[in-house]
Amino acid sequence: MKTDLQLKHDVEAELEWEPTVSAANIGVEVKDGVVTLAGHLPSLGEKIAAEQAARRVGGVRALVVELDVRLPGEDVRTDEDIAHIARSVLRWTAGLSADAVQVQVEHGHVALRGTVDWPWQSQTAVRAIAQLRGVAGVADHIDVRHTVEPDKISKDILDAMRRHADREARHIQVTVHEGTVRLTGTVHSFAERCVARGAAWAAPGVRAVVDDLTVE
């Protein structure tokens, strides 16, 4: 098992390795395997990339994000401009029907609402908006209407986990209620935890995922 000092070094190295992240703007602290990222970044896309980079490091038990988005002057847009651009982007995004997702903008923070058939569609919408200039935050309030029997959802998720990481799948329990998936059990790293969450979100009929997994 990595010491906190080793884990801190690995996270810092991964941030340096990630080309879309300015690692010099991010402070890393580690205590008992819990990694905290703090600092100020010039875009929401860079903040998301930093979070993903930290999650890739083996041994990370949990991640605390204290990163603020401070847009440089040339990237500041009015809420009206952001709303107009966001609506256009969503209409041109493959996999989303026209006007399936509505946009609300306040002080650079975008709230997405609407109804889609699959979880990946809401995730696609969030990713598309998060990369826009002038966006300081994205809140996902999109509903998923596709309904599938709970037993089938659970089976699909466990099958997907076994394809990615058979060892971890044996220690994870999946329960489903009204489209909400709860993951319980143990995994060996934050990366394995992300595999489990990704498999859950990819399953048809999933409206929400509650992650109660423990990283050993």
Side-chain angles (χ1 to χ4, degrees):
M1 179 181 294
K2 295 179 182 178
T3 66
D4 285 350
L5 186 60
Q6 290 172 323
L7 192 54
K8 174 181 168 68
H9 177 270
D10 286 352
V11 171
E12 289 174 339
E14 189 67 18
L15 291 172
E16 289 281 358
W17 179 258
E18 173 55 52
T20 61
V21 171
S22 301
N25 295 329
I26 302 174
V28 180
E29 296 295 334
V30 182
K31 184 176 181 180
D32 298 329
V34 178
V35 175
T36 299
L37 303 180
H40 309 293
L41 297 176
S43 72
L44 180 60
E46 186 170 339
K47 176 182 177 180
I48 293 172
E51 295 171 11
Q52 292 173 339
R55 291 191 181 105
R56 290 197 296 265
V57 177
V60 175
R61 296 176 59 112
L63 183 64
V64 178
V65 180
E66 297 178 352
L67 297 169
D68 295 327
V69 175
R70 293 187 179 178
L71 301 172
E74 63 270 20
D75 283 351
V76 174
R77 302 289 188 273
T78 67
D79 288 348
E80 183 180 3
D81 285 343
I82 293 173
H84 177 73
I85 295 170
R87 284 196 297 266
S88 297
V89 167
L90 291 173
R91 290 193 185 102
W92 282 89
T93 298
L96 295 176
S97 59
D99 299 321
V101 179
Q102 292 79 51
V103 176
Q104 177 181 329
V105 187
E106 184 174 355
H107 303 306
H109 291 262
V110 180
L112 300 179
R113 293 180 171 83
T115 304
V116 295
D117 292 321
W118 303 94
W120 64 263
Q121 291 173 308
S122 67
Q123 295 169 5
T124 296
V126 170
R127 284 196 298 268
I129 301 306
Q131 298 300 321
L132 296 179
R133 289 182 182 274
V135 173
V138 180
D140 181 4
H141 301 301
I142 302 171
D143 292 325
V144 180
R145 61 170 162 247
H146 195 84
T147 57
V148 179
E149 289 299 318
D151 288 347
K152 177 168 174 40
I153 294 176
S154 178
K155 180 180 182 301
D156 288 345
I157 292 171
L158 288 172
D159 286 347
M161 288 181 188
R162 292 188 184 101
R163 289 195 296 272
H164 291 282
D166 182 65
R167 180 187 65 174
E168 287 69 40
R170 301 172 193 169
H171 303 287
I172 296 175
Q173 294 78 49
V174 180
T175 57
V176 184
H177 179 67
E178 295 182 351
T180 296
V181 174
R182 183 179 296 275
L183 303 176
T184 56
T186 59
V187 291
H188 294 87
S189 71
F190 202 92
E192 293 170 1
R193 188 179 192 177
C194 290
V195 168
R197 281 206 304 251
W201 272 115
V206 174
R207 291 185 171 89
V209 175
V210 178
D211 178 2
D212 285 335
L213 294 169
T214 300
V215 180
E216 287 189 339

